[in-house]
Amino acid sequence: MSPRHPALVWLRDDLRLADNPALRAAVDGDRPVVVLYVLDEQSREIRPLGGATRWWLHHSLTALQQRLEERGGSLVLRRGTAEDVIPAVVAETHAEAVFWNRRYGAAREIDARLKTRLRDDGIEVASFSANLLVEPWEVTTGQGEPFKVFTPFWKAAQERPFRDAVPEPREIEGHRADGDRLDDWGLLPTHPNWAGGLRETWEPGELGARHRLEEFVEDRLADYHRRDEPAVDATSGLSPHLRFGEISPIQIWDRLHGPLDGGALRNRAKFLSEVGWREFNHSILFQQPRLHRDSFRPEWDAFPWEKPHAAELDAWKQGRTGIPLVDAGMRELWHSGVMHNRVRMVTASFLVKNLLVDWRVGEAWFWDTLVDADEASNPGNWQWVAGSGADAAPYFRVFNPELQREKFDKHDRYVKRWVPELGTDEYPDPIVDLKQSRQAALDAYQHLRNS
Ligand code: FAD
């Protein structure tokens, strides 16, 4: 009998066993399976992870490794450019097939080159839809153009048939290959170890994701209409799990169409439309693969941003601006690796409009500190706040952080949690006058319009 050659599954942002079409295809092929994760910090198409996502990745890979081993498989870890590592592992293991789930940013250029190269070498290659409800190119206007506005996009997306979730493999015939030790990758912070708050808040990995979804549907979805109040625990907390593909949007969609009580049912459409914003941002990323660098609306490249003033920027990062809602949000971010959505909008608007700092500077800080930092949703939302993005908030609509606080955190419950010294001598005075800085932003915008 001829030796059975393995199939290689290359995992990226899809660190799960359930509803993983690439893994399923490999297991169904009745071949041994090499499951590989590549830490690629060198390819120019890949944006190096920030500190918080490195922390998450470490724990997510640990969880995945364990689940694979329970089923007879194993996880091979390699570091280097994907275009070096994948062909090398194929050669070492004599793999005859390579499978992966698709990605949508600049890294897809790597995937396209690899696909051609491997096929030229006679290797079977297949890529799958796994991390979105619909592929970006499947949702287009009547004229076949991509949508630039959310509402018609989401309507059209929901008219598409979604793929069925694929079942989790019970057994995996693992094929070993040489790899690195996860600890040697140094993904965790050491000096100083700032990850204590992250550990308290999160359980990375597929089981943590499933647990979060179930708990949200049962305990919090009924309160989702209060999702704009940062002191109320009414949202899912699924964003980092989705970011790393520990759960798929199809699994979420299916669960939301399973048993729900009345309160949950009333909030379902709204919640799913937020998942729709994730889809929309990915479709924008697909149109503009370097979304963290390039304005989606190019005329914005002429905007007269001010050179960031180091002291002001530090005050923003550290939550010492003297504007309570902004400071609360920035401290929540530093402690827990996330920030409530409404407060993200307020802190971003404050940086971009009251301090007139280029959105890319704020986006980079969020990229480093958010556990859900995502190459579609982070720049997509920053550009939305700045005005340069798709379906963006108009620049002249400047959030007033004090009015936002009155409206959404009336009793200062959220603000007091993160800024306990509020109202004492220890709390700083505002670093800018909100009214004057708003006017300066409007003048700068007028300059852009006239140019
Ligand atoms: P829920 O309200 O439970 O929503 C469910 C899911 O829908 C989320 O997990 C997320 O995947 C998706 N979602 C919700 N709102 C949005 C949105 N506005 N855009 C895209 N997807 C959305 N989200 C990220 O996942 N990664 C980011 O890097 C990111 N950066 C942001 C930066 C700024 C300046 C702003 C204003 C928003 C950003 N968001 C980002 C969107 C949003 O704030 C988070 O998705 C949300 O707070 C996550 O909490 P949750 O999972 O409890 O959300």
Side-chain angles (χ1 to χ4, degrees):
M1 208 172 87
S2 63
R4 289 160 72 236
H5 292 288
L8 177 68
V9 180
W10 174 24
L11 295 183
R12 296 94 67 88
D13 298 326
D14 47 359
L15 303 180
R16 63 180 183 270
L17 302 192
D19 192 32
N20 189 323
L23 177 64
R24 185 76 233 180
V27 171
D28 286 349
D30 195 26
R31 289 178 280 220
V33 179
V34 180
V35 183
L36 174 70
Y37 183 88
V38 182
L39 182 65
D40 184 345
E41 297 174 300
Q42 289 158 26
S43 297
R44 69 188 155 74
E45 294 86 351
I46 305 232
R47 190 174 180 194
L49 294 179
T53 39
R54 286 168 74 85
W55 176 89
W56 191 286
L57 177 65
H58 178 98
H59 293 292
S60 191
L61 289 174
T62 305
L64 180 71
Q65 212 154 19
Q66 192 183 340
R67 280 175 61 70
L68 282 167
E69 282 167 13
E70 283 163 9
R71 282 165 179 67
S74 64
L75 180 64
V76 179
L77 301 173
R78 297 282 279 258
R79 185 157 34 181
T81 66
E83 284 171 281
D84 288 338
V85 173
I86 303 294
V89 177
V90 165
E92 286 164 33
T93 58
H94 305 288
E96 60 182 12
V98 179
F99 300 135
W100 62 70
N101 296 313
R102 287 185 201 117
R103 46 190 178 181
Y104 304 92
R108 71 176 193 261
E109 296 160 17
I110 297 177
D111 300 350
R113 291 196 296 269
L114 264 171
K115 195 179 256 184
T116 307
R117 181 168 155 196
L118 292 166
R119 282 187 178 155
D120 285 350
D121 290 344
I123 310 287
E124 176 191 348
V125 185
S127 61
F128 299 85
S129 166
N131 292 330
L132 293 177
L133 293 168
V134 276
E135 297 296 74
W137 53 88
E138 290 173 355
V139 187
T140 52
T141 63
Q143 288 72 45
E145 296 293 318
F147 284 100
K148 296 186 190 313
V149 177
F150 173 71
T151 306
F153 166 86
W154 184 229
K155 186 167 177 289
Q158 290 175 95
E159 282 162 7
R160 304 275 321 169
F162 297 159
R163 68 176 177 84
D164 290 329
V166 298
E168 169 176 341
R170 282 168 191 271
E171 265 181 65
I172 298 171
E173 188 188 340
H175 183 100
R176 290 201 173 270
D178 290 341
D180 300 343
R181 275 169 25 113
L182 182 57
D183 286 339
D184 294 341
W185 281 2
L187 296 173
L188 298 179
T190 46
H191 304 299
N193 181 356
W194 40 258
L198 302 191
R199 266 199 311 277
E200 275 165 32
T201 318
W202 299 106
E203 184 192 348
E206 184 171 16
L207 298 183
R210 252 183 236 175
H211 184 220
R212 238 315 140 182
L213 174 62
E214 208 41 52
E215 182 195 72
F216 168 64
V217 168
E218 283 180 12
D219 303 340
R220 299 197 298 278
L221 179 55
D223 292 329
Y224 198 68
H225 55 280
R226 299 186 67 189
R227 70 192 164 277
D228 270 326
E229 296 173 55
V232 179
D233 190 10
T235 70
S236 70
L238 282 167
S239 54
H241 299 290
L242 276 164
R243 153 70 184 81
F244 284 93
E246 298 168 353
I247 195 162
S248 73
I250 295 278
Q251 288 174 292
I252 295 176
W253 182 272
D254 288 350
R255 177 60 190 92
L256 269 286
H257 288 85
L260 293 182
D261 68 26
L265 202 57
R266 277 193 291 282
N267 285 285
R268 175 171 71 188
K270 184 63 203 168
F271 172 70
L272 289 175
S273 80
E274 297 302 330
V275 177
W277 272 97
R278 177 177 177 275
E279 300 278 320
F280 181 63
N281 278 309
H282 278 83
S283 87
I284 298 300
L285 177 71
F286 186 72
Q287 296 171 52
Q288 176 77 282
R290 286 162 180 85
L291 198 58
H292 70 287
R293 200 188 62 194
D294 301 336
S295 294
F296 187 72
R297 298 204 271 158
E299 64 274 20
W300 275 80
D301 287 339
F303 193 85
W305 302 111
E306 303 230 323
K307 199 170 162 330
H309 188 291
E312 283 181 359
L313 192 58
D314 283 351
W316 179 77
K317 289 181 179 174
Q318 294 165 7
R320 292 185 293 99
T321 64
I323 309 290
L325 188 57
V326 171
D327 292 344
M330 298 309 289
R331 293 184 197 185
E332 179 188 18
L333 172 61
W334 181 252
H335 178 84
S336 61
V338 274
M339 193 198 296
H340 186 275
N341 179 57
R342 172 135 307 258
V343 191
R344 290 189 203 203
M345 294 194 274
V346 171
T347 54
S349 164
F350 180 77
L351 185 76
V352 168
K353 298 186 181 174
N354 297 95
L355 300 182
L356 274 184
V357 173
D358 191 330
W359 62 266
R360 293 168 188 81
V361 175
E363 195 274 343
W365 179 250
F366 273 32
W367 180 260
D368 199 24
T369 51
L370 278 172
V371 284
D372 63 19
D374 171 316
E375 60 172 338
S377 297
N378 198 39
N381 276 285
W382 272 94
Q383 293 216 42
W384 182 88
V385 172
S388 63
D391 202 2
Y395 187 83
F396 55 79
R397 264 190 43 205
V398 180
F399 280 94
N400 179 325
E402 291 297 29
L403 292 181
Q404 293 283 315
R405 174 181 162 205
E406 259 169 51
K407 191 160 173 205
F408 297 108
D409 192 34
K410 203 188 254 155
H411 304 293
D412 275 346
R413 276 173 54 214
Y414 173 78
V415 162
K416 282 272 174 61
R417 175 168 175 216
W418 296 104
V419 189
E421 80 278 22
L422 185 67
T424 72
D425 290 346
E426 280 170 52
Y427 191 62
D429 291 332
I431 58 170
V432 282
D433 178 282
L434 290 176
K435 214 167 150 195
Q436 279 169 13
S437 55
R438 174 178 184 276
Q439 191 52 49
L442 296 181
D443 294 346
Y445 179 60
Q446 201 52 47
H447 171 93
L448 173 72
R449 300 215 15 190
N450 297 340
S451 66

